[in-house]
Structure formats: structure tokens, C-alpha cells
Amino acid sequence: MADRITLSGAPEGLDALRVAERLGEDGTALFIARDASRAAQFIDAIGFFAGGIEVVSYPAWDCLPYDRLSPSSSVSAQRMATLSRLAAGEAPDKPLLIVATVGAALQCTPPREITASAGFETHVGRELDTAALETYFATNGYVRASTVSERGEYAVRGGVIDVFPPGFDEPVRLDMFGQELESIRTFDPATQRSTGQRAAVQLAPVSEALLDPEAISRRRPNEPAEEQERRFAYRSPPQHPPGAAEVRFRIF
């Protein structure tokens, strides 16, 4: 390829400078670092050379294959925030650079159409079924908590729903007036005090494995339908929609 550039033996930081020059004023590019440490150094360098480029991290799982632990909610949330943005296919307002590691680039991802259709959008003044929203949280990997402090958590207290969606810098608070969404406010997770107002909010999945009945039936094809229903319903306390409790699982 005529426009291909190969760098060998280059000092640290030169790759960031060349990527910034090649990316220009618009477009989207992917940079694959050898590991998480090198990816963090590259992100710092690209910010120095080109502050106008939007950098989005796409980390690898922080667990080993066949480990008994699932990826942490923060890592899963960041991965799904990046995948959801790419699946939407919207043109960025400024140059967009995806920074991944070799491990992240080699991992399988959900089909694009599933990621694109798994979002949940709402706006002020809209009628909102809180039970359906809680079911969405459970199916898409959100974890119920008493107080929201980390990405992927949500809390329900009467007509107030707090949620920390993937890709957000702050959690949002949905204030309900009956069945109508009265306001959407961002808030500081440390103090729980409001920091701003929003007209709408777009939620994305936290988990790369959706725990809906169809997915469970594919995982256990020979299991009777009534047992699948019982297994799915078991994941929530009786007073909440199916799947509202935290679930740890392996998807290998």
C-alpha cells in the first residue's frame, strides 16, 4: 500500500505523533497497543500532541479464560460503551481514536445488530414504565445497589431512579411524577448532589452477555421451558422484575 508507514525502533511517543498527523481533522481510527500499560501511555501522549482528538478506550477483560470470576463491571461497561457507539454508526463531531490492546482486539464481541438494538432511550415528559426499565437493567448487566457510585449500578427509591450508564462521566437521576419522567439530572456519586440537567438520556448495555430468556434457552437447549423460566425468575427478589439481582457467570 502506497500510504502505509512502518516505524521500527522509534522512541516512545513518536507513534502518537504520527497517528495524530495521519488522523487529521476528521475520521475514525483504531490503535492497538501491546498491553494496558502501553495503551495508557499512548493515550497520554496523544493528548499532548493533539488535544482535539477524542480518545475512547476499549480495554480487555480483567480476568483469565475459564476463571471463576466475570470481568469487572467497570471494564464491561467501558467495552460496551465503545461498542454501542460504534454500532450506532453516527459520524463523530471531531476525530475519534479507539485505543485497544492486543487482548481486547482478539476477543469476540456481540453481533453489531444486537449491540445496536440493546439501547434504551428516554426523555423528559415521556411516560416511562419503571418495571420495564428495571427489567432492562437486569437483562443488560446492570447491578442493583443501595447507592449508585460505579458504572453499571442502578438504584430505585420510590419515584427516583439512579443509574450510572456506560460512557457517562456522572450518573443520572430520573425523577418520576406518576408514570411521567419529570426530570433527568446528573449528580456527583460522592455527595449525591445534582450537578446538571439533561433533556434525554441514552442507556447502553453493561454486559456483553444478555441474560434474557432467549439467551438462557440457547445456553441450555435441552432444559425444559418451565425450568428455564424458574432459573430466569430466580435471579430477582420476589418484589422486583425478573433478573434484578446481581449475577456472576462465565461466558466462555
Side-chain angles (χ1 to χ4, degrees):
M1 297 176 60
D3 59 349
R4 180 173 181 177
I5 297 177
T6 301
L7 298 178
S8 177
E12 294 287 342
L14 182 60
D15 51 357
L17 175 61
R18 293 304 183 198
V19 169
E21 293 175 344
R22 298 272 289 179
L23 194 53
E25 298 182 356
D26 54 14
T28 301
L30 170 67
F31 179 86
I32 300 178
R34 63 173 177 260
D35 53 35
S37 175
R38 183 69 190 95
Q41 294 173 5
F42 177 83
I43 291 174
D44 290 340
I46 203 74
F48 174 79
F49 289 118
I53 295 178
E54 182 180 2
V55 180
V56 177
S57 175
Y58 183 67
W61 285 349
D62 54 351
C63 63
L64 298 175
Y66 301 101
D67 200 347
R68 291 184 177 274
L69 296 177
S70 303
S72 65
S73 59
S74 59
V75 168
S76 296
Q78 180 59 49
R79 285 173 58 87
M80 286 307 297
T82 302
L83 290 175
S84 297
R85 178 167 183 176
L86 294 175
E90 298 178 357
D93 297 331
K94 55 184 178 179
L96 177 63
L97 180 61
I98 313 297
V99 179
T101 63
V102 174
L106 291 176
Q107 286 178 292
C108 295
T109 62
R112 178 175 179 174
E113 59 274 13
I114 292 180
T115 302
S117 63
F120 189 100
E121 183 177 6
T122 189
H123 56 80
V124 174
R126 175 184 176 184
E127 288 192 1
L128 184 61
D129 185 343
T130 55
L133 182 57
E134 288 190 66
T135 301
Y136 172 83
F137 289 149
T139 302
N140 289 276
Y142 287 81
V143 176
R144 186 163 189 149
S146 57
T147 302
V148 170
S149 59
E150 297 183 359
R151 289 180 178 86
E153 293 182 340
Y154 77 98
V156 180
R157 297 184 301 277
V160 177
I161 303 173
D162 293 346
V163 58
F164 204 152
F168 279 52
D169 295 327
E170 291 181 314
V172 296
R173 178 163 292 151
L174 311 179
D175 284 320
M176 304 294 298
F177 183 75
Q179 293 295 317
E180 180 180 328
L181 179 56
E182 186 175 36
S183 68
I184 303 175
R185 294 175 291 162
T186 57
F187 65 92
D188 186 332
T191 64
Q192 298 291 303
R193 292 183 177 178
S194 299
T195 58
Q197 295 274 350
R198 296 177 65 100
V201 64
Q202 174 73 48
L203 305 180
V206 174
S207 173
E208 296 173 62
L210 305 183
L211 285 180
D212 56 8
E214 181 181 355
I216 294 176
S217 67
R218 290 197 303 268
R219 180 177 173 83
R220 300 173 179 270
N222 297 323
E223 189 174 58
E226 58 272 15
E227 179 64 18
Q228 293 176 12
E229 181 67 22
R230 184 201 65 80
R231 188 183 302 278
F232 185 68
Y234 176 75
R235 286 165 168 77
S236 71
Q239 69 271 27
H240 298 306
E246 177 180 6
V247 180
R248 292 288 182 177
F249 56 93
R250 295 187 299 176
I251 61 176
F252 303 97

